[in-house]
Amino acid sequence: AQSVAQPEDQVNVAEGNPLTVKCTYSVSGNPYLFWYVQYPNRGLQFLLKYITGDNLVKGSYGFEAEFNKSQTSFHLKKPSALVSDSALYFCAVSPNTGGFKTIFGAGTRLFVKA
Amino acid sequence: NAGVMQNPRHLVRRRGQEARLRCSPMKGHSHVYWYRQLPEEGLKFMVYLQKENIIDESGMPKERFSAEFPKEGPSILRIQQVVRGDSAAYFCASSPPGTSSNEQFFGPGTRLTVL
C-alpha cells in the first residue's frame, strides 16, 4: 500500500539551530514529493517540491529538502530555525502514475524556542 | 488572483441536519480536492473532482457524504444527517490542469461543529 510516514509527532529546536523534519514514503515508481506547512486555524501552504533532477530542493522561507531514493526519504531542513517557523509540517507524495491523488503524512509539529 | 475560497469558515449543525460546504478553486484551476482533518491529526483525502466529474472518491465515507463540482459554480461537499464524529476541519484544494507534479493550493478550511 502507498504511504507516507513522518516518524516524529513533534520536533523541538532552539532558535538559531538547524532543524530537520523527517519523512519517508512507500510509493512505487518515481513519485512527486512535497512539503506543506500549516499555521494555526489556517489552510496548508506549499513549501517546496521534488519532481526530478538535483536531490536538494530549495523552497520558501529558507527551507530545503533532500531527496534520497535509496532510503525513500525526503527530509525537510533549515540551517537556522526561527521562532516563527513553529507550525505543523506535512510531507506529501503524489504517485507519478497518471492519477492525481496526493497522500499526506500525519504531520510533525515543530516548536522553535527562543 | 484570488486564492482558493471556502465558505462558510465556521458551520454549526445539530445532529441529523445537513451540512453544505462550498469551495471556489483558484482561477484557471480545474482540479478540486477535499480533505478532512480531525483535531491533532493529519489530512485525510476524501475526493478528487474535475468539472462535472468525480475522478477518485476512495476516501469518501460510503454513506451520507457526497461531492460535486458543477460546470458553473463552486464545488460542494454535502454531509447529510450529520453526527458528532463529523466534527472536523474540511479543506478544499485546487490545482491547475496538467500532471500530478503540480502542487495544490489550499483554502482556509471550513470548521464544522456538530452539537
Side-chain angles (χ1 to χ4, degrees):
Chain A
Q2 298 173 339
S3 64
V4 178
Q6 293 182 242
E8 302 153 316
D9 291 337
Q10 184 172 308
V11 171
N12 298 311
V13 297
E15 189 173 32
N17 283 0
L19 69 88
T20 299
V21 182
K22 295 179 181 177
C23 172
T24 59
Y25 63 92
S26 175
V27 176
S28 58
N30 299 308
Y32 305 126
L33 302 161
F34 304 83
W35 275 101
Y36 291 85
V37 59
Q38 184 181 29
Y39 296 99
N41 300 314
R42 303 281 294 276
L44 276 68
Q45 298 177 33
F46 169 77
L47 275 181
L48 51 81
K49 67 180 177 182
Y50 173 83
I51 304 299
T52 186
D54 193 349
N55 290 344
L56 186 64
V57 179
K58 294 189 182 298
S60 307
Y61 313 119
F63 284 92
E64 56 190 29
E66 186 167 13
F67 170 63
N68 187 318
K69 187 172 183 178
S70 63
Q71 296 184 2
T72 60
S73 67
F74 190 54
H75 301 331
L76 181 69
K77 300 181 179 184
K78 187 173 183 180
S80 178
L82 300 172
V83 172
S84 57
D85 292 331
S86 298
L88 188 57
Y89 290 81
F90 290 97
C91 180
V93 174
S94 180
N96 181 13
T97 54
F100 285 78
K101 182 176 177 179
T102 299
I103 305 162
F104 283 81
T108 298
R109 192 166 296 279
L110 173 67
F111 286 101
V112 181
K113 297 173 70 173
Chain B
N1 189 5
V4 177
M5 299 176 69
Q6 289 187 251
N7 68 81
R9 293 292 307 275
H10 300 274
L11 182 61
V12 179
R13 285 287 178 267
R14 296 190 181 278
R15 281 179 295 169
Q17 292 184 319
E18 178 179 286
R20 278 184 181 242
L21 288 61
R22 295 174 184 77
C23 169
S24 296
M26 288 182 68
K27 187 176 181 180
H29 287 192
S30 56
H31 300 180
V32 167
Y33 314 80
W34 284 95
Y35 296 89
R36 177 164 61 179
Q37 185 178 35
L38 296 171
E40 302 302 318
E41 293 191 14
L43 286 176
K44 299 296 183 186
F45 168 82
M46 298 182 75
V47 62
Y48 157 53
L49 311 100
Q50 296 182 18
K51 283 285 187 182
E52 298 185 280
N53 285 304
I54 297 174
I55 307 301
D56 183 343
E57 57 181 348
S58 58
M60 288 280 271
K62 293 286 187 286
E63 299 176 346
R64 302 189 297 108
F65 284 72
S66 62
E68 62 178 7
F69 188 17
K71 186 176 181 181
E72 300 291 338
S75 175
I76 306 288
L77 179 67
R78 182 182 178 205
I79 311 173
Q80 295 178 290
Q81 299 176 328
V82 296
V83 300
R84 288 219 173 105
D86 296 333
S87 296
Y90 292 83
F91 289 96
C92 167
S94 71
S95 67
T99 75
S100 58
S101 64
N102 291 318
E103 63 268 27
Q104 296 177 18
F105 294 80
F106 283 79
T110 294
R111 278 159 182 79
L112 172 66
T113 301
V114 180
L115 301 177

